Amino acid sequence: MASEREYFDLSGPLHLSNVDWKNVDHRRSVAASLVQGVYILERDRQEKRQGPQALAPPWWEFFDFQLCRQLVDDADFSIFGAIYEFKPAASNCKDLTNGNPHYIIAFRGTITKGNAFSRDVELDLHFIRNGLHQTSRFEIAIQAVRNMVATYGNLNIWLAGHSLGSAMAMLAGKTMAKTGAFLEAFLFNPPFVSAPIERIKNVKVKHGIRIASSVITAGFAFAMKVKQQNNQQQNNRSVDTFVALSAWTPGLFVHPDDHICSEYIGYFEHRKKMEEIGAGTIERLATQHSIGGLFMNAIGKESEEALHLLPSANLTLNLTPAEFFEAHGIHQWWKPDLQLKSMLYKYR
């Protein structure tokens, strides 16, 4: 049985009958709605809702988008993503100077109902182990992104995702950015795997833990560079890649009451505070590495860089108080009159 949130006319942003593509709130709301469209596509598949019974189409048709392609997992045949094309009426011709995209590639997060749940949890575990890049679902996703960029160019394409789908979009965005293709990205509630330091209420204790962690991480990274002379060239490439990524500024949308993504707040704020106390050099080295990745390299095992390591981002916080399930939900991001705070962080 369909829930109320699956019906666009009950829970969708009906106030956006005229989208202003230069308005950041409108852009965020449309991107979130198209991610919701992917969720409902999969629920339609599970419930065998087709034709007039399908509930997904209003989530993109309301904004003049058409569904070009569904992205289907090869393991369980669930729909995890979609490619949408902006197709306004002839009286409202496409105009890239208007700020609208030509295409949006969107990815859903974990679905807790139906037969997609076990596969989604498997992907969640791959993410926690920093192995999302090795999954067949990501291979399908990145091939779709590469093909779209090769055909239409990166200026015409947006990425969007929520939760696990946000991790998928972030990994795709980072992968493309390393080739010089910087895609606009809307990453809703992106997961951050670490100890929940941001949940500590005592500001001094929290800041002290972060400083200690930075010193240890930077020290470990420096020691490995000195000790492992044979890997010096590889380490330099790692640093160069991080610096090159700094030109990509994805949009991160985070709720402080969502412990799955709230650590991004401290991740970026701490970098600024370290600069203010004169420890910017330590933090610039620490922020390029994770303790887990350094440890794996130390014991001779290659480790992919942690996904949360981002040089730059436009971080938007929803400061509206909420319980966890509300704070982690995609639906919050298209609501009007939110208590939002945005900060631009650029790596130097």
Side-chain angles (χ1 to χ4, degrees):
M1 185 175 179
S3 68
E4 285 191 2
R5 281 184 175 160
E6 293 181 57
Y7 291 95
F8 182 83
D9 57 351
L10 292 179
S11 61
L14 298 177
H15 60 285
L16 290 182
S17 55
N18 290 303
V19 176
D20 177 0
W21 289 103
K22 295 182 179 180
N23 184 307
V24 294
D25 293 326
H26 290 195
R27 291 156 70 92
R28 181 196 70 247
S29 297
V30 172
S33 296
L34 268 60
V35 172
Q36 176 73 346
V38 184
Y39 276 106
I40 311 305
L41 272 170
E42 171 56 18
R43 293 294 293 152
D44 281 346
R45 183 192 73 86
Q46 292 180 11
E47 300 293 335
K48 296 181 172 58
R49 298 189 297 241
Q50 299 178 355
Q53 285 73 44
L55 301 180
W59 287 95
W60 58 81
E61 291 177 349
F62 186 80
F63 307 106
D64 292 324
F65 282 88
Q66 291 183 0
L67 178 63
C68 293
R69 177 186 168 192
Q70 300 173 359
L71 301 180
V72 178
D73 194 293
D74 62 348
D76 66 351
F77 304 107
S78 64
I79 300 168
F80 71 88
I83 301 175
Y84 302 101
E85 181 180 7
F86 185 53
K87 283 275 194 175
S91 59
N92 183 23
C93 295
K94 263 186 286 189
D95 179 4
L96 281 179
T97 62
N98 227 14
N100 60 275
H102 275 178
Y103 297 91
I104 295 182
I105 306 174
F107 305 97
R108 67 165 174 84
T110 302
I111 287 183
T112 56
K113 298 179 182 179
N115 55 14
F117 177 66
S118 59
R119 174 61 170 165
D120 288 349
V121 170
E122 179 186 341
L123 271 291
D124 290 330
L125 294 175
H126 276 290
F127 169 78
I128 293 172
R129 295 196 298 264
N130 202 30
L132 193 60
H133 63 289
Q134 297 173 327
T135 64
S136 60
R137 180 180 289 189
F138 177 70
E139 185 58 34
I140 294 169
I142 192 61
Q143 281 302 113
V145 173
R146 283 175 176 147
N147 291 342
M148 293 297 291
V149 170
T151 305
Y152 301 106
N154 59 289
L155 295 179
N156 300 332
I157 298 169
W158 291 3
L159 296 175
H162 173 248
S163 195
L164 173 62
S166 181
M168 194 81 65
M170 183 185 297
L171 183 55
K174 289 180 74 171
T175 302
M176 297 307 299
K178 290 175 183 178
T179 69
F182 303 112
L183 302 176
E184 185 156 0
F186 296 78
L187 309 177
F188 301 103
N189 301 83
F192 190 119
V193 178
S194 86
I197 301 173
E198 195 59 28
R199 309 298 290 176
I200 298 174
K201 301 301 181 183
N202 189 304
V203 176
K204 290 184 178 180
V205 171
K206 181 165 58 178
H207 191 38
I209 292 174
R210 292 196 186 281
I211 291 176
S213 176
S214 292
V215 171
I216 293 171
T217 303
F220 197 179
F222 182 76
M224 285 193 61
K225 287 184 179 181
V226 173
K227 185 177 180 180
Q228 299 178 1
Q229 295 297 324
N230 292 335
N231 291 337
Q232 186 66 47
Q233 186 176 359
Q234 179 182 347
N235 286 330
N236 282 339
R237 281 201 301 269
S238 175
V239 173
D240 291 343
T241 298
F242 193 84
V243 173
L245 275 176
S246 63
W248 183 53
T249 310
L252 273 60
F253 299 87
V254 170
H255 198 298
D257 294 325
D258 175 14
H259 61 264
I260 291 177
C261 66
S262 61
E263 204 53 34
Y264 275 107
I265 302 171
Y267 174 76
F268 286 107
E269 283 186 352
H270 177 64
R271 187 187 301 173
K272 180 180 178 182
K273 290 178 180 176
M274 290 290 277
E275 290 282 354
E276 291 172 352
I277 66 174
T281 302
I282 293 175
E283 185 57 23
R284 279 191 291 275
L285 180 57
T287 199
Q288 299 174 28
H289 302 277
S290 67
I291 285 290
L294 289 169
F295 176 75
M296 294 299 289
N297 291 334
I299 62 176
K301 294 185 178 181
E302 282 195 21
S303 175
E304 187 76 6
E305 66 181 16
L307 186 56
H308 69 260
L309 298 178
L310 281 174
S312 305
N314 191 348
L315 182 66
T316 298
L317 307 183
N318 181 4
L319 301 178
T320 309
E323 298 296 327
F324 167 71
F325 287 107
E326 291 291 321
H328 189 65
I330 183 64
H331 52 276
Q332 66 185 294
W333 297 111
W334 61 69
K335 291 182 177 179
D337 304 322
L338 294 174
Q339 300 177 32
L340 300 179
K341 178 182 178 183
S342 295
M343 295 81 66
L344 177 63
Y345 294 96
K346 294 292 289 184
Y347 181 79
R348 295 179 179 83

